[in-house]
Amino acid sequence: MIVQNFNHKMAAHCESGTITSLLNHGGLNITEPLVFGIASGIFFGYFHKMKSFAFPTFIVRNKPGQMRTNIEKRLGVRFKNYDFKDPVKGQQTLDQLLQNNIPTGAQVDFFYMDYVPSWERVHINVHFLVVTGKTENKYTISDAYFPQMVELDADSLEKGRFAGGNMSPKGFIFHLDKLPADIDYNKAILKGISKACFYMLKIPIPFLGIRGIRMFGKKVVEWPKFARDTEHLSHEIMKINILLEDQGTGGAGFRFMYATFLQQAATITGKPQLAELSAELMKIGDGWREISLFSARIGKNRDLGPDKLKQLSEMLYDRANVEERFFKSLSQAIK
Amino acid sequence: MKEKEGFVDYPEQQMILYVEKDDGNYGPMQTGSYISANYMDDYVYKRRNLEIDLRNQVTSGAISPIKYYMILVDLSFSELAARAHIRKSRVKKHLDPKLFGSATMEELLKYAAVFNVPIANLLQILLVKSNGSFESDFILEPKSSGIMVGQSQTSNPYVILTKIEEKSR
């Protein structure tokens, strides 16, 4: 059983890509940046000491799953969601949906996705993909990170869907249930921007939003004390590049994709200030990219002394300052 | 970022980057991963050295096999306990090489599922000769070896089949 007429498309990010694919399949012509922006996907969070993580880390997008729920609220679309305690029931329901020609989104632990090269696989419970078919014991998968559809053993998909730990997927699957007759994109875009500004500027938690970027800048100089040795520190510093560029951000920690959203939003809403801010964010993104390249370079060269970490810290503080100004301007532009 | 500045020729790992097109519009571009294209050798070098270091520790009895895998798959102690559904106090014991032997078969099965290895591999490390030296099968990329090690689960949860064969060229 293969879902008919499903059009696989690469996307920058797994969750916004999955939602975009399902909406497109249902007949809604919407881009990934619009989904990302309306869902207030842009964010920042720094986690210095958290039991779930083996080393300090950061995130550059909102909470996993929130893109879907925000899109539902703001566009008026409806997804049907399922989670399971019993893997057998989880598989039966998925198979039934595929039998009914319904492409189905799934949340999985990336580690068990055997089609991914082993060096890329990490335990992260918030990877999203679309299951588009099943033949014998293999599922056909539309994973936004791959140019073509891929196949995955049923056993691996089950392991991925029912992995335990932080943000455990609990077999979660979802599919498009209903599209509204009319969508007020203007209202949805402004709400999406407004919430993004709130989370970046006003959320009263010291490690989130702009304050999170500053905390990252302050704490990154302490990273050596968490590392086993120089090689480990080098690996973790180089992961800054991966988290900003490679783990499905569209480049510069989602800043390039959000700039694309603002450019499209300017046309839809007729607010030219959004186009100007879009160009400004593209430049801000270039600064994040410099951080990515700097991290990769000092990591590779094992040039990880206090002076280099201080330099990295200053670059992060600088991003916090420019983003604070940017999000204040953005907040004003939609009033 | 301009389109031409963002392009990286690395077919092994493709991704979408949002860039400024020639007409001034922003949009997606399919490209290769910059870090993989430029720094993969360094990543592999570090990973191999880490595995060798951990292997030396586990074979000398300085760490337990659970700790060996926990570090290799980059899990924290708490996250391992949550994923394996084993109490933290028990995991703490199993990380200690002297107390690893107190783990039950059921607990080992749970750990093996988290690490995605057969249970047998918690008591052995498979080494494959590649480019003149032995390397762990756990971190070896299949393309780098002429030997293929296939391990499949049987209907008996405690028994796996290991098949070692030359790759067809």
Side-chain angles (χ1 to χ4, degrees), chain A residues 190 202 271 273 330-335:
Chain A
L190 297 181
K202 294 184 180 165
K271 285 181 178 287
Q273 310 96 299
L330 185 59
S331 182
Q332 286 299 316
I334 56 165
K335 279 183 181 161

Side-chain angles (χ1 to χ4, degrees), chain A residues 9-12 31-34 249-251 255-264 278 282, chain B residues 1-4 6 15-31:
Chain A
K9 213 172 150 189
M10 277 187 92
T31 64
E32 187 192 9
L34 272 181
T249 71
R255 272 57 188 166
F256 293 155
M257 182 150 72
Y258 201 73
T260 308
F261 157 68
L262 290 177
Q263 192 181 58
Q264 294 175 4
S278 159
M282 209 55 162
Chain B
M1 163 173 282
K2 306 267 187 203
E3 191 166 16
K4 61 181 180 227
M15 55 189 281
I16 294 293
L17 188 65
Y18 278 85
V19 292
E20 183 180 347
K21 309 272 183 176
D22 289 340
D23 61 5
N25 283 321
Y26 302 160
M29 171 182 76
Q30 187 178 328
T31 180

Side-chain angles (χ1 to χ4, degrees), chain A residues 32 51 109 112 118-119 123 125 159 164 166 234 238-239 245-246 250 256 263 278-279 289 293 302, chain B residues 1 13 15-18 24 26 33-35 39-40 42-43 46 71 74 76 79 83 113-114 116 141:
Chain A
E32 187 192 9
K51 287 179 179 175
D109 179 354
Y112 298 102
S118 62
W119 45 267
H123 273 298
N125 277 337
K159 282 182 193 166
N166 187 30
S234 156
M238 289 174 90
K239 257 168 69 179
E245 309 299 331
D246 266 38
F256 293 155
Q263 192 181 58
S278 159
R289 198 142 170 106
L293 299 178
R302 314 295 191 266
Chain B
M1 163 173 282
Q13 192 187 345
M15 55 189 281
I16 294 293
L17 188 65
Y18 278 85
Y26 302 160
S33 157
Y34 173 84
I35 194 148
Y39 297 100
M40 181 57 84
D42 185 59
Y43 172 77
K46 279 188 283 206
I71 295 174
D74 206 12
S76 70
E79 185 65 4
R83 282 176 178 272
V114 173
N116 206 21
E141 269 300 297

